Amino acid sequence: MNSVERMFVPAQQVEDRLSNAGTWETGTTIWASSEAQILTCARVVDETHDVKSFEFRVGDGTPVRFEPGQFMTVSASVQGQTVQRCYTISSPPTRPYLLSITVKRVPGGTMSNWLHDNMKPGSQLRAFGPSGSFTPTAAPSAQKSLYLSAGSGVTPLMSMTRASLDLGLDRDIVFVHSARTPADIVFRKELERLVALSPRLRTFFLCEGIGNENDWPAPTGRLTLQLLSQWVPDYAEREVFTCGPAGYMNAVQTVLREGGHDPAHYHQESFNFAANATADAAPAATAAPKCDAFQSQETFTVKLSRSSKTFTMSATETVLAAAKKAGVAIPSSCSQGICGTCKTKVLEGEVDMKHNGGIREREIQKGMRLLCCSRPTSDLVLEL
Ligand SMILES: Cc1cc2nc3c(=O)[nH]c(=O)nc-3n(C[C@H](O)[C@H](O)[C@H](O)COP(=O)(O)OP(=O)(O)OC[C@H]3O[C@@H](n4cnc5c(N)ncnc54)[C@H](O)[C@@H]3O)c2cc1C
Ligand code: FES
């Protein structure tokens, strides 16, 4: 099964839904994913010892339309380099005046540490508009949902949960969140409060260890089929939304497959921390099955039209990874063909691109490509 292909719908479809007045919020502004706006930090909330939420006004305070589960791409100058990263909008679209992102401080991470150390009320940040199709509108007729998250993967599911409750949808939601220890559970108090308000929302927390919480009442360890069956006996009937580190999501998929859950009702989003770090040396998480070109030892030349730089690369690498290795700075964020940050015009030559909705058909027709998920099949000239 290629769940990644299934979970993402083309950007155009998302845009169509967003421009439809019957979505989450009317009277709000559509902030395009290609449009930069200035965010002004209104509040910073300490969620756990290493997770903070940052609440922002967008532009002059205009209410913004988006769908629960979508992300925005923030951009900052860190040590003289422009860095861009995607962050899920953890607030719900039902609260369109103040958009929040909830960021885990990643040891050694560029943007997460910069945000934690620099964002204060009144600080400003550049960002590109909401994007992504990991949202419940991907399954509008689902009566029962199962949200499975780990670590900071809680954020899109939190936006979905908050939206559902704000709208009084009274959806049947079971939210199973995994964390390292009880102290690492993001939004724990709020989720407990929401459960008390809504009889159709149930939450289960699963921690690897108890940390300092000696009276932790729940099981410890990782999610197993036995535990899932005990907590959510009707899991097979539920629309599943999963977000967390790649290893967690692989484990979840194995558990669900063993339990006979229909993959057509499975959606996932990866935050893919490692891919940014390793200069995209690893293939994008959504890499297609190996084709002949991937197995070949062929090398190609890539020429940059504006800077006149040239480098050679193997057919097995993504253009973004090879450019970074060659010391060419190309803006990038998700490394998965989702966010559109690395969109670049290919002036000459061909690439094999496997994207995940971060580019529209009309942009492809104009010669644009996402370099993080494109491998060359000939020499290239890029508009860079
Ligand atoms: C769609 C989407 C939504 C997301 N939503 C959220 C969210 O809601 N909350 C959230 O916290 N995150 C979210 N992320 C992840 C986020 O975009 C960043 O990837 C994350 O914050 C880490 O970025 P960073 O710049 O701090 O770390 P990076 O600088 O990208 O580094 C990541 C890791 O790599 C290591 N590293 C860095 N450089 C090197 C090197 N040269 N060699 C070896 N290791 C290195 C770092 O130590 C660190 O462990 C999301 C990602 C996506 C794609
Ligand atoms: S970096 Fe996000 S689409 Fe390429």
Side-chain angles (χ1 to χ4, degrees):
M1 181 198 67
N2 188 343
S3 62
V4 177
E5 273 175 18
R6 194 187 327 281
M7 73 188 176
F8 291 112
V9 297
Q12 186 60 56
Q13 278 181 34
V14 176
E15 194 180 72
D16 290 345
R17 287 205 303 260
L18 289 169
S19 57
N20 170 355
T23 52
W24 295 93
E25 187 68 27
T26 54
T28 47
T29 301
I30 295 173
W31 175 20
S33 58
S34 54
E35 185 195 343
Q37 291 252 25
I38 298 299
L39 308 182
T40 305
C41 182
R43 203 152 64 111
V44 180
V45 179
D46 288 320
E47 303 286 2
T48 68
H49 60 102
D50 61 356
V51 176
K52 286 180 197 263
S53 288
F54 304 95
E55 298 181 353
F56 297 103
R57 277 189 304 278
V58 179
D60 58 4
T62 329
V64 172
R65 186 183 302 181
F66 61 98
E67 295 199 29
Q70 287 197 304
F71 63 88
M72 57 182 165
T73 304
V74 307
S75 176
S77 174
V78 183
Q79 290 167 357
Q81 299 270 345
T82 301
V83 181
Q84 297 188 321
R85 294 284 183 267
C86 306
Y87 290 100
T88 305
I89 306 169
S90 51
S91 53
T94 42
R95 304 173 207 167
Y97 291 91
L98 221 48
L99 270 55
S100 67
I101 58 173
T102 301
V103 180
K104 182 182 166 62
R105 193 192 273 274
V106 176
T110 313
M111 181 64 95
S112 58
N113 285 284
W114 186 87
L115 289 168
H116 273 245
D117 296 339
N118 292 281
M119 272 299 115
K120 309 269 179 308
S123 310
Q124 294 197 316
L125 183 65
R126 203 162 165 262
F128 294 87
S131 186
S133 45
F134 181 66
T135 150
T137 51
S141 55
Q143 296 299 312
K144 301 203 271 184
S145 302
L146 171 59
Y147 295 168
L148 299 171
S149 64
S152 51
V154 68
T155 51
L157 305 169
M158 196 61 192
S159 176
M160 295 178 198
T161 306
R162 286 166 164 164
S164 178
L165 267 71
D166 279 1
L167 289 169
L169 292 179
D170 198 25
R171 284 209 172 120
D172 182 335
I173 298 172
V174 182
F175 199 148
V176 179
H177 178 63
S178 298
R180 207 162 286 158
T181 71
D184 293 295
I185 300 173
V186 186
F187 304 130
R188 178 177 173 184
K189 283 207 175 92
E190 183 178 347
L191 279 168
E192 286 169 350
R193 189 172 54 77
L194 294 179
V195 166
L197 289 175
S198 169
R200 299 193 78 208
L201 171 67
R202 284 180 294 143
T203 57
F204 297 95
F205 298 125
L206 181 59
C207 294
E208 279 178 37
I210 60 168
N212 294 328
E213 203 161 315
N214 293 328
D215 55 353
W216 176 246
T220 52
R222 297 196 170 186
L223 192 65
T224 59
L225 184 56
Q226 192 191 5
L227 198 53
L228 185 66
S229 311
Q230 184 190 322
W231 280 346
V232 198
D234 61 351
Y235 68 87
E237 296 161 29
R238 291 178 178 266
E239 200 74 24
V240 176
F241 292 85
T242 307
C243 187
Y248 167 79
M249 291 197 300
N250 291 341
V252 162
Q253 276 181 282
T254 305
V255 165
L256 290 172
R257 199 170 38 238
E258 278 170 16
H261 184 268
D262 179 355
H265 296 284
Y266 177 83
H267 313 260
Q268 70 173 30
E269 180 156 86
S270 164
F271 285 0
N272 198 28
F273 302 109
N276 289 328
T278 51
D280 310 321
T286 52
K290 287 191 174 187
C291 68
D292 290 342
F294 290 5
Q295 285 155 354
S296 81
Q297 296 301 308
E298 253 179 308
T299 57
F300 294 112
T301 301
V302 182
K303 216 184 251 177
L304 310 183
S305 67
R306 289 189 189 138
S307 60
S308 307
K309 279 190 184 161
T310 301
F311 60 90
T312 52
M313 65 173 292
S314 135
T316 60
E317 293 174 288
T318 67
V319 181
L320 182 69
K324 285 192 177 174
K325 260 199 227 166
V328 177
I330 297 176
S332 66
S333 181
C334 71
S335 308
Q336 301 174 70
I338 305 173
C339 70
T341 310
C342 62
K343 206 177 291 166
T344 302
K345 193 164 192 174
V346 176
L347 298 173
E348 286 174 34
E350 296 292 334
V351 296
D352 179 26
M353 177 173 72
K354 306 287 182 211
H355 71 90
N356 275 311
I359 188 164
R360 297 195 180 93
E361 193 49 43
R362 62 173 183 266
E363 294 171 316
I364 297 174
Q365 297 301 330
K366 286 182 187 160
M368 307 299 282
R369 297 291 184 270
L370 299 178
L371 300 186
C372 68
C373 53
S374 293
R375 292 175 173 76
T377 54
S378 72
D379 290 341
L380 302 173
V381 180
L382 306 179
E383 191 176 60
L384 273 173

